[in-house]
Amino acid sequence: MHKPLALAFSGGLDTSYCVPRLRERGFAVHTVYVNTGGSSPEERAAIRTQAEAVGAASHHEVDARFGVFQGFVRFLIQGNVLRGEVYPLSVAAERTQQAIALVQVAREIGAAAVAHGSTGAGNDQIRFDVALRVLAPDLEILTPIRDENLTRDQAIAYLEARKLPVPLKASAYSVNAGLWGTTWGGGWTHDSWAGPPAELLDPPPNTPPPVELVLGWEQGVPVSLDGESLAGPELIARLSARAATYGIGHNIHVGETALGIKGRIGFEAGAALILIAAHRELEKLVLTKWQVFWKDQLGRFYGDRLHEGHYFDPALRDIEALFTSSQQRVSGETRVRLAPGRFLVTGTRSPFSMMDRSVATYGEEHRLWTGEEARAFARIGAIPELLAERAARKSQPGS
């Protein structure tokens, strides 16, 4: 009798290869597609068809969009997390949630093992393995693509030899579409000098005229778009669609991988970039400079650990607690202007604004202190630099 196995299944080449390969090794392969956003009903139906065509014993679809938002995306927004100051961790926001869902299905079917289609040269293998080891240490983890060091051409040849369907565009680069953005890997991304394809360079044709939209916020979480209250996943989906019509959110990121090598991806993440920028501007209005400073340090660390697959480190729960505490007054509205290929946060307002004209107007009037008090403040403020300069002069030859 074949042993039940739960396979994280995307419908792409690597996971399509894994189904018949694992069947040859004596497993009944139950495919698990975890919907983290970014796929249409037609695409999900095609993924199911592909799973069945390559021999899945059963196919499971899990809607994890709210889990991705609540467990990951909201903290990435509150922490203003951009890896390398550029990339909003579109994939890292999803992989641990996919592993959580995979284990849930594995338990339901009484699986003896779990599997994923990651290669041995990327971050996803670490993200899946760490999560699966923490959540299901009793289950065997199988990774045919990694273990066999398989190339894409070899995987295609394997499927064709068995008259199994090869996914469309299997020989091109890999694309990962999710709630927090879409990434491109492979092909041109392997050459740091190579430029991206046209769809990542230019705004789409017939771009609409510039427009302004208003985002509503409650305690650091986006809750409305142009006055309409929306749940997090729906708000992001709508904002992504609007950003896409202007070609907003296209960029390229080069950075450290979990393995220590350099990696390069192209991405489109209009909603993520707009929300993080708008949130940061609202924070500037309502938080103190030291709140912002320490959040920036911890946000960078939080993003690094999540990116490298260590979501379950208790330090991340501690940082999430600080994020949550810091967001108590991050409520209000942000106004954002969309134009071809770019956006601009044009306004913020909050009942907790610290921009108080009754105290002072920057560069013009002061009401809470006198000119003489300002003079004394500047005089005392100069003392550390004054002492350092005097000490430096004493150390110079001939002084």
Side-chain angles (χ1 to χ4, degrees):
M1 182 178 294
H2 282 48
K3 296 175 291 185
L5 173 147
L7 167 67
F9 188 80
S10 67
L13 176 62
D14 291 337
T15 54
S16 293
Y17 170 88
C18 288
V19 176
R21 190 73 181 96
L22 290 167
R23 286 186 63 194
E24 292 176 353
R25 296 174 58 178
F27 290 97
V29 181
H30 299 261
T31 51
V32 183
Y33 174 72
V34 185
N35 177 14
T36 56
S39 63
S40 66
E42 294 76 18
E43 288 168 332
R44 294 193 293 275
I47 290 169
R48 174 180 291 276
T49 298
Q50 179 70 10
E52 294 169 348
V54 293
S58 68
H59 181 72
H60 303 255
E61 183 179 317
V62 180
D63 187 345
R65 289 172 294 178
F66 184 76
V68 170
F69 179 83
Q70 193 67 11
F72 301 87
V73 165
R74 71 184 175 108
F75 293 118
L76 294 174
I77 294 173
Q78 291 176 343
N80 302 314
V81 177
L82 291 174
R83 188 164 178 82
E85 314 305 325
V86 172
Y87 172 54
L89 295 184
S90 302
V91 178
E94 304 168 13
R95 290 297 184 251
T96 301
Q97 183 62 48
Q98 289 171 330
I100 292 170
L102 179 66
V103 170
Q104 290 171 344
V105 174
R107 299 303 189 196
E108 292 170 4
I109 65 174
V114 288
H116 59 84
S118 303
T119 71
N123 291 320
D124 284 346
Q125 59 173 330
I126 309 300
R127 295 165 181 157
F128 272 119
D129 279 16
V130 171
L132 295 173
R133 189 62 64 200
V134 171
L135 297 171
D138 55 309
L139 298 181
E140 184 180 5
I141 302 173
L142 299 175
T143 56
I145 301 297
R146 175 173 65 186
D147 296 344
E148 299 171 16
N149 196 23
L150 206 70
T151 67
R152 296 179 70 80
D153 288 341
Q154 289 171 328
I156 292 171
Y158 174 91
L159 293 175
E160 290 178 340
R162 287 156 181 77
K163 294 182 169 47
L164 297 174
V166 176
L168 295 175
K169 299 183 179 179
S171 59
Y173 41 81
S174 60
V175 178
N176 185 91
L179 180 70
W180 206 223
T182 299
T183 61
W184 285 265
W188 63 274
T189 66
H190 294 158
D191 179 352
S192 63
W193 188 248
E199 63 262 32
L200 270 178
L201 286 173
D202 303 316
N206 303 316
T207 303
V211 67
E212 284 198 340
L213 53 82
V214 176
L215 293 163
W217 300 84
E218 290 183 7
Q219 297 188 347
V221 176
V223 294
S224 67
L225 177 60
D226 286 335
E228 181 180 359
S229 296
L230 296 168
E234 177 62 22
L235 186 151
I236 291 171
R238 291 201 192 179
L239 185 57
S240 293
R242 294 187 70 173
T245 64
Y246 289 91
I248 291 172
H250 297 174
N251 212 329
I252 301 168
H253 169 61
V254 176
E256 303 291 341
T257 70
L259 298 171
I261 63 175
K262 296 288 186 181
R264 185 180 190 233
I265 58 167
F267 66 89
E268 178 183 1
L273 296 180
I274 290 170
L275 287 169
I276 288 173
H279 175 264
R280 181 180 287 278
E281 290 304 308
L282 183 59
E283 278 193 330
K284 292 177 183 178
L285 191 67
V286 302
L287 298 186
T288 69
K289 71 175 182 179
W290 293 117
Q291 284 180 296
V292 172
F293 174 85
W294 285 112
K295 280 188 67 271
D296 284 347
Q297 315 312 308
L298 292 173
R300 179 185 292 273
F301 176 84
Y302 186 92
D304 285 347
R305 301 310 289 157
L306 180 61
H307 174 77
E308 296 184 2
H310 293 283
Y311 169 78
F312 294 99
D313 188 324
L316 269 62
R317 305 293 82 74
D318 297 334
I319 294 172
E320 289 167 356
L322 182 139
F323 285 167
T324 300
S325 173
S326 73
Q327 301 299 293
Q328 294 179 30
R329 296 191 301 275
V330 187
S331 299
E333 292 181 315
T334 50
R335 195 172 68 245
V336 183
R337 185 176 191 269
L338 308 184
R342 58 191 176 88
F343 69 91
L344 179 68
V345 181
T346 56
T348 59
R349 62 184 178 186
S350 169
F352 307 109
S353 171
M354 294 174 66
M355 195 171 179
D356 189 345
R357 297 186 66 177
S358 68
V359 172
T361 303
Y362 175 67
E364 295 185 10
E365 299 177 278
H366 51 84
R367 300 176 179 86
L368 196 62
W369 60 85
T370 67
E372 188 57 35
E373 288 170 333
R375 184 192 304 276
F377 177 80
R379 184 179 181 84
I380 293 173
I383 288 174
E385 290 96 325
L386 173 65
L387 295 176
E389 180 65 21
R390 287 182 176 181
R393 290 174 184 172
K394 291 178 183 179
S395 67
Q396 293 175 356
S399 62

